[in-house]
Amino acid sequence: MKAKFQTALRLLFPPRCVACGALVESDFALCADCWLEVTFLGGDVCDACGAPVIDGASEISPLCDSCLYDRPPWSKGRAAFMYGGVGRSLVLALKHGDRTDIVRPAAKWLAGAAQPLLKPNTLVAPVPLHRWRYLRRRYNQAALVAEAVARHLSLPYCPDLLLRVRGLGSLEGLGAAARRQKLSGAICANPKHAEMLHKASVLLVDDVLTTGATLKAATEACLNANAKDVCVATLARVAKDT
């Protein structure tokens, strides 16, 4: 009976591509055309920020030029795909379009990208959203993805490990220096999780890595609360200026 019911549901509601809505073979998947339009990141990438690097296979810990010049405070970082084309559309749909169905495939992709960052009992936490923005949006997309990544990897998860203690307005269009200035003192460790954070290996999850200012502020909040080390994983990363 259950099998017949599921078959009937598939006939009425066949699986659709999460990006364009075309028919696909399984739920929460991309069609072949959209898959080819997403630049998934793997292989030779910067060990700190996940950006593609050239001839990185010959290095023990390859870094891009930007991270060699200005090493971020976290230990290592990865991203699932580049922020452009279909990848950008997916992130924006999740962030602003109430497309929480994208969380399921996004978490699978990000869990795969984050594998090199993991240590035993890594604590997964999202970059926090200020309460006023949360009330307007009704959810924190980073928290939804982080929770699903933690579940996928069977790791502990803490949704409020960090707090955003003051609102910032939009950071879009701001350069790295302006973003850092606005974020100064905006993120702190949650005092009620001080014991959990002490000497912990933390994996911070966010939707997009742009200049890295938000993740730097979140990382510094963890380190100031005596975390052992911090790694970062983002669904997408913006291409660096060349």
Side-chain angles (χ1 to χ4, degrees):
M1 180 66 70
K2 183 178 180 181
K4 290 182 179 180
F5 179 71
Q6 291 176 337
T7 299
L9 279 179
R10 280 193 168 271
L11 289 172
L12 289 172
F13 306 104
R16 299 277 180 176
C17 172
V18 294
C20 72
L23 291 173
V24 291
E25 292 185 1
S26 59
D27 293 321
F28 307 103
L30 291 171
C31 68
D33 289 341
C34 288
W35 181 269
L36 292 173
E37 290 294 322
V38 179
T39 305
F40 287 97
L41 293 169
D44 294 338
V45 296
C46 174
D47 206 37
C49 72
V53 294
I54 300 173
D55 296 329
S58 62
E59 300 289 341
I60 295 175
S61 296
L63 296 175
C64 66
D65 290 344
S66 295
C67 289
L68 279 170
Y69 176 75
D70 184 16
R71 182 68 189 255
W74 57 80
S75 300
K76 295 184 178 183
R78 292 294 188 275
F81 53 77
M82 295 299 294
Y83 185 72
V86 172
R88 178 178 182 272
S89 297
L90 288 169
V91 171
L92 292 178
L94 171 61
K95 191 170 185 175
H96 301 299
D98 291 335
R99 288 287 311 280
T100 55
D101 57 299
I102 294 171
V103 169
R104 184 167 170 176
K108 182 180 179 180
W109 301 329
L110 190 52
Q115 283 289 345
L117 314 179
L118 303 181
K119 298 177 181 178
N121 298 315
T122 293
L123 177 61
V124 181
V127 168
L129 196 66
H130 190 268
R131 61 182 179 276
W132 295 120
R133 181 165 289 185
Y134 182 88
L135 287 172
R136 288 196 300 270
R137 193 176 293 170
R138 303 188 306 280
Y139 62 88
N140 177 1
Q141 71 281 354
L144 295 179
V145 174
E147 182 178 16
V149 166
R151 190 185 311 116
H152 192 85
L153 297 171
S154 300
L155 291 172
Y157 169 68
C158 184
D160 59 344
L161 188 72
L162 300 176
L163 301 174
R164 205 140 187 173
V165 293
R166 59 184 177 85
L168 303 171
S170 175
L171 296 176
E172 292 183 14
L174 297 180
R179 283 173 177 249
R180 282 196 299 269
Q181 185 175 6
K182 287 196 75 171
L183 282 159
S184 179
I187 298 175
C188 69
N190 190 334
K192 74 177 184 180
H193 296 310
E195 185 176 349
M196 179 188 295
L197 190 50
H198 184 72
K199 300 301 181 184
S201 293
V202 180
L203 178 66
L204 290 177
V205 174
D206 204 0
D207 53 357
V208 181
L209 173 59
T210 306
T211 66
T214 302
L215 283 164
K216 286 177 181 177
T219 297
E220 288 164 356
C222 290
L223 295 175
N224 290 338
N226 297 312
K228 181 180 179 180
D229 64 86
V230 178
C231 292
V232 303
T234 61
L235 187 57
R237 70 125 37 252
V238 174
K240 293 189 174 184
D241 294 332
T242 55

